[in-house]
Amino acid sequence: MSAVAAPAKKNYLTALREALDEEMGRNPDMVCEGEDIGILGGAFGVTEGLQAKYGKERVIDMPISEACIVGNAVGMALNGKTVMAEMQFIDFISCGFDQIVNMLATYYYRTAGEVNMPVVVRGPAGAYGGGALYHSQMNEAWFCNSPGLQVVCPSTPYDAKGLLKSAIRSGNPTIFFEIKELYRKREIEEVLPNEDYLVPLGKAAIRREGTDITLVSYGQNVYHCLAAAQELQGMGISAEVIDIRSLVPLDEQAIYESISKTSRVVVVNEAPMTCGFAGEIVARISQNAFKYLDAPPVRITRLDTPVPWVKPLELYVLPSLEKIVSAAVATVKY
Amino acid sequence: MSPNSGTATAVKAEAPPETDQSRRPQDALTKEDCLEILKQLYLARYFDVRLIKEKKRGHLRGTLYSSHNQEAILVGSLYGLQPNDWVSPIHRDMPAFFLKDAKFKWDDRERMGLSIEEVCAQVWGKSGSPGRARDNWSHIGSRAKHIIHSTSMLAGTIPTATGVAYADRLNRGDAVVVTLNGEGSTAQGIFHEAINFASIHKLPVITVIENNQWAYGTPNELEYALEDFARRADGYGIPGLIADGQDVFDVYDKMMWAVDYSRAGKGPVIIECKTFRAYGHGDHDDDRAAKYRPKPEVDEGRKRDPIAVCKQALIEKGFLTPQEANQWMAEGKNAAEVSNDDFPPEVVQYLDRGIEFAVASPVPEPEEAARWVFKENG
């Protein structure tokens, strides 16, 4: 038995909490606000301990007023603060939509660069947990369609911490999609560096290398893709898995480089198909990397339905290992 | 009260000072102040009528949202503020941008308000605008000058005001934030969310409601169900004052009471200023407004011109003789009826300087349209 204990692995939620804690510690002008984030420590516990450490003035328990949470963040940023604004569930962000797309996203533009908005709006997102219509959404496409917003979605604890820190320090408004099904997922826990680190926005990660087909995704669908790649390997198909990590800005080059090698691509996201981000990726591939393709690019997305509650119904509408494998096989055979 | 409670406590709003005529803030104003206030009313009016004329000559694009007949609210709200206080105007408040911190120093570029040159450059859509003409009409502001940038989202800027006030408190500042809004905007959900939040934390946010009785084409009785809109404040446990929006000194009195109250950390205040919209919602609406608003109602709403009301008050205060009061006769006249001779020459010259600058200022290069979406230079 070693005298020094092995460094502890940390989960995705702890990584987020550490990012907030460290950023609050290094920046006295940073403020956190959201529903139940102080006394309770957040519905999921992401902000646990922050109010005790940084005080009620800097860690604000907000009334159930999503629009005011965002609007107040805009005002604080106008007056020199850096703000983390929590949505208790990303589904509720629609209540603050006007403040995000018309006030927050446009501030830098309409003031010709006088006033930037260091505001990160973050919250738990995603399906597969039986959350039903209002606790399962992935509505990232709304914000990708609103110029001025960065849109980020980490899939690992390391990225969750490094991307959140990058977003907070970027000086730009960011919508930060956390995957609540990954918050406490044991299988993805990992040892995080002791020292301060950042993960750059707009830089994709290759999660698995391959030569026959490229699977592009983000969030928890990355794990569906990795499982699919494992299964495809048994069928003699070598799949490369790309985790884009941030949607805006998007690392297009990483996708094109992979396709230049594999000539085939399946793009997976759990948002609905129509006007979803998978469609945007496929459109860019078609326009900019057509010459590499040996088969039409394919989207695997949620059906164009809300997310239903009961398990068989929920899984029916969502991307799955089986759907990805089957699309990949068809694409390779094309 | 739980030990976890924030700053909120159940409060009964402090009684408004309507009945206290013994210590009106206006009585402390000097003759010099009062004459400056009258001059600012002329300035606001002249800005309005001049732009209407410029547009009729084809010099301007976009819609004009006239502040005619509502100038006393702007001047009375802003005159007694400290330079570091913040203001948040909306579309009908264009003169507020240059009236802020303008007392006796209109031409001082260092004062905490926008210059007439910047405001005119914005109206003319030129690069000399503080927003480089990226958004239209009144949609400008300045962090440096403590003016919250206006948008089309109406009450959507009230939470900006709460955030500014909250940050100022964190910085141990003592600024108050004055938001100007039409009564129409108060039916938006964000109005409630923001005032509620300001009440909880006793933020120094003073919400001035310019109740001009019409939200575009919708009258008061289809906007809210109260006799006096100011009573909306009761639901938040905060003072709701009523001011005569035609009387600059009454607006000033209510505002100074609110400023003292808010700056002392007692919380937000709503001031309803009763007034009447002189023209249509915008100049595009003037013809239709003549149909949806009966002429007797318009005549009644406009019969107490704020310039005339101010002059009468100055005569009563002994600061103006009736003869002096008749020197400039802008009151009661529409843009088409009024001439430069109806205004003090320094008012006309001031705006001439602004327009001269605006006309000479270049139109922004087209490529600028793609800039400043995201932070530049890291």
Side-chain angles (χ1 to χ4, degrees):
Chain A
M1 192 175 164
S2 165
V4 181
K9 289 184 170 184
K10 289 170 181 166
N11 65 24
Y12 185 101
L13 183 141
T14 305
L16 292 164
R17 185 193 297 141
E18 284 187 0
L20 293 175
D21 188 0
E22 290 171 21
E23 292 305 299
M24 287 287 281
R26 73 188 286 277
N27 180 2
D29 277 324
M30 182 170 162
V31 179
C32 293
E33 45 156 30
E35 294 157 16
D36 310 303
I37 68 163
I39 299 166
L40 179 66
F44 288 87
V46 176
T47 55
E48 211 163 85
L50 291 186
Q51 195 178 64
K53 190 166 175 182
Y54 298 104
K56 282 187 285 197
E57 279 195 315
R58 286 182 63 202
V59 181
I60 314 168
D61 275 313
M62 294 293 287
I64 302 173
S65 301
E66 288 80 7
C68 187
I69 290 171
V70 178
N72 196 59
V74 169
M76 286 197 284
L78 172 60
N79 208 356
K81 301 300 175 187
T82 295
V83 188
M84 183 289 282
E86 178 174 300
M87 295 289 118
Q88 194 156 79
F89 284 85
I90 214 71
D91 311 61
F92 307 155
I93 202 170
S94 49
C95 300
F97 193 73
D98 176 52
Q99 285 291 321
I100 292 174
V101 303
N102 283 320
M103 305 294 288
L104 177 65
T106 61
Y107 224 115
Y108 193 64
Y109 189 83
R110 58 192 158 89
T111 61
E114 187 205 7
V115 182
N116 67 298
M117 287 276 127
V119 175
V120 175
V121 180
R122 47 155 290 277
Y128 299 96
L133 278 78
Y134 307 112
H135 294 74
S136 302
Q137 293 172 21
M138 280 295 285
N139 42 37
E140 67 277 15
W142 299 346
F143 304 102
C144 297
N145 198 237
S146 294
L149 298 173
Q150 296 172 158
V151 180
V152 178
C153 182
S155 70
T156 68
Y158 181 88
D159 282 0
K161 183 171 179 179
L163 287 169
L164 183 52
K165 281 170 161 260
S166 286
I168 290 167
R169 292 185 207 177
S170 71
N172 287 313
T174 306
I175 313 298
F176 198 89
F177 287 80
E178 300 168 2
I179 303 301
K180 58 183 175 294
E181 286 298 305
L182 300 180
Y183 271 163
R184 293 184 168 86
K185 199 176 175 73
R186 297 294 297 271
E187 296 90 318
I188 68 165
E189 287 179 0
E190 57 189 328
V191 176
L192 301 180
N194 283 324
E195 66 277 11
D196 184 41
Y197 72 95
L198 299 172
V199 173
L201 304 175
K203 188 87 187 78
I206 298 173
R207 297 296 181 198
R208 176 184 172 122
E209 293 196 12
T211 52
D212 299 329
I213 187 166
T214 301
L215 307 178
V216 180
S217 192
Y218 52 94
Q220 63 190 321
N221 290 140
V222 169
Y223 297 101
H224 296 111
C225 289
L226 285 169
Q230 189 64 31
E231 197 163 313
L232 289 165
Q233 190 180 18
M235 302 160 73
I237 297 170
S238 165
E240 180 145 299
V241 177
I242 293 184
D243 177 358
I244 59 170
R245 303 197 284 195
S246 80
L247 291 68
V248 181
L250 176 66
D251 186 356
E252 293 179 58
Q253 282 313 313
I255 297 170
Y256 304 154
E257 276 167 30
S258 177
I259 295 172
S260 74
K261 187 170 61 173
T262 63
S263 306
R264 292 171 166 83
V265 63
V266 172
V267 185
V268 185
N269 75 207
E270 61 171 286
M273 184 181 74
T274 303
C275 295
F277 201 72
E280 178 62 31
I281 293 175
V282 164
R284 293 198 197 191
I285 291 169
S286 304
Q287 190 166 342
N288 302 321
F290 189 76
K291 62 184 174 187
Y292 302 132
L293 292 174
D294 288 339
V298 172
R299 275 177 291 183
I300 298 294
T301 71
R302 187 167 101 210
L303 303 183
D304 279 340
T305 66
V307 181
W309 177 35
V310 178
K311 207 74 187 171
L313 275 63
E314 185 189 38
L315 292 179
Y316 183 80
V317 306
L318 291 170
S320 64
L321 168 65
E322 294 75 20
K323 290 177 191 174
I324 297 167
V325 168
S326 144
V329 168
T331 302
V332 168
K333 282 184 181 167
Y334 178 85
Chain B
M1 188 172 155
S2 126
N4 282 323
S5 297
T7 45
T9 50
V11 288
K12 196 168 189 309
E14 189 167 312
E18 274 108 334
T19 52
D20 186 359
Q21 294 296 319
S22 63
R23 48 182 186 102
R24 296 181 309 177
Q26 63 170 289
D27 295 328
L29 289 168
T30 63
K31 176 181 179 182
E32 201 183 11
D33 276 316
C34 291
L35 294 176
E36 168 76 1
I37 283 171
L38 175 61
K39 204 175 285 180
Q40 289 195 6
L41 289 176
Y42 278 123
L43 183 53
R45 174 68 53 84
Y46 186 66
F47 180 81
D48 200 86
V49 299
R50 179 73 183 266
L51 292 197
I52 291 172
K53 290 180 186 207
E54 294 285 340
K55 186 164 181 192
K56 288 216 189 313
R57 290 184 201 126
H59 295 170
L60 297 179
R61 299 191 322 151
T63 304
L64 305 187
Y65 298 95
S66 172
S67 54
H68 191 115
N69 205 42
Q70 300 182 208
E71 299 94 338
I73 302 171
L74 304 179
V75 175
S77 295
L78 299 174
Y79 193 79
L81 299 181
Q82 295 299 311
N84 272 338
D85 290 337
W86 289 71
V87 301
S88 178
I90 52 157
H91 52 278
R92 206 171 297 291
D93 307 325
M94 202 69 185
F97 292 102
F98 58 79
L99 288 176
K100 179 174 186 281
D101 193 34
K103 192 188 305 185
F104 306 125
K105 50 180 179 181
W106 299 358
D107 277 323
D108 179 2
R109 298 293 287 261
E110 300 304 311
R111 68 184 171 87
M112 288 295 282
L114 294 180
S115 67
I116 192 68
E117 287 84 359
E118 290 171 297
V119 174
C120 288
Q122 164 66 10
V123 175
W124 262 256
K126 298 298 190 65
S127 56
S129 148
R132 300 190 67 80
R134 299 166 83 77
D135 199 0
N136 65 2
W137 193 234
S138 67
H139 296 172
I140 46 172
S142 169
R143 168 149 69 187
K145 304 291 189 182
H146 288 192
I147 301 173
I148 293 175
H149 308 74
S150 157
T151 72
S152 291
M153 314 327 292
L154 304 180
T157 41
I158 304 180
T160 314
T162 70
V164 164
Y166 195 98
D168 189 66
R169 176 179 289 175
L170 285 174
N171 294 339
R172 307 300 169 219
D174 70 344
V176 301
V177 187
V178 175
T179 79
L180 299 157
N181 306 267
E183 89 289 349
S185 72
T186 64
Q188 291 186 299
I190 191 64
F191 177 85
H192 161 71
E193 290 193 17
I195 302 289
N196 182 52
F197 177 71
S199 307
I200 293 166
H201 291 278
K202 300 193 186 303
L203 296 174
V205 174
I206 299 166
T207 302
V208 175
I209 303 301
E210 301 175 50
N211 189 347
N212 66 16
Q213 304 182 38
W214 285 86
Y216 204 150
T218 302
N220 267 180
E221 61 268 28
L222 296 176
E223 298 182 58
Y224 57 86
L226 294 162
E227 181 76 19
D228 290 313
F229 178 82
R231 295 282 63 77
R232 184 64 49 85
D234 300 348
Y236 302 99
I238 64 173
L241 314 184
I242 296 172
D244 176 355
Q246 307 310 109
D247 179 354
V248 67
F249 295 111
D250 193 48
V251 174
Y252 177 83
D253 282 346
K254 304 297 158 59
M255 176 56 77
M256 294 318 339
W257 185 90
V259 165
D260 286 348
Y261 180 92
S262 278
R263 217 190 292 283
K266 296 180 183 176
V269 178
I270 291 173
I271 304 175
E272 178 192 9
C273 298
K274 292 183 187 290
T275 184
F276 188 81
R277 196 183 75 203
Y279 299 114
H281 169 59
D283 60 336
H284 61 285
D285 182 49
D286 285 345
D287 294 341
R288 293 165 79 201
K291 293 173 189 157
Y292 63 68
R293 302 195 310 178
K295 189 165 184 308
E297 180 190 334
V298 177
D299 291 344
E300 175 69 20
R302 292 181 58 167
K303 79 177 181 199
R304 294 176 62 240
D305 188 306
I307 293 175
V309 172
C310 179
K311 281 181 180 176
Q312 186 57 37
L314 293 189
I315 291 168
E316 285 165 18
K317 286 173 188 285
F319 294 159
L320 206 59
T321 65
Q323 194 182 5
E324 288 166 335
N326 289 335
Q327 192 174 6
W328 322 111
M329 293 299 294
E331 57 264 42
K333 296 176 184 170
N334 276 337
E337 302 154 357
V338 81
S339 78
N340 285 356
D341 295 337
D342 292 319
F343 294 92
E346 60 268 37
V347 164
V348 175
Q349 287 155 12
Y350 185 66
L351 204 62
D352 282 344
R353 286 199 291 281
I355 293 175
E356 194 179 328
F357 174 86
V359 169
S361 178
V363 173
E365 292 298 322
E367 295 77 15
E368 267 194 34
R371 289 192 62 189
W372 300 304
V373 176
F374 291 108
K375 196 160 179 280
E376 297 177 4
N377 305 320

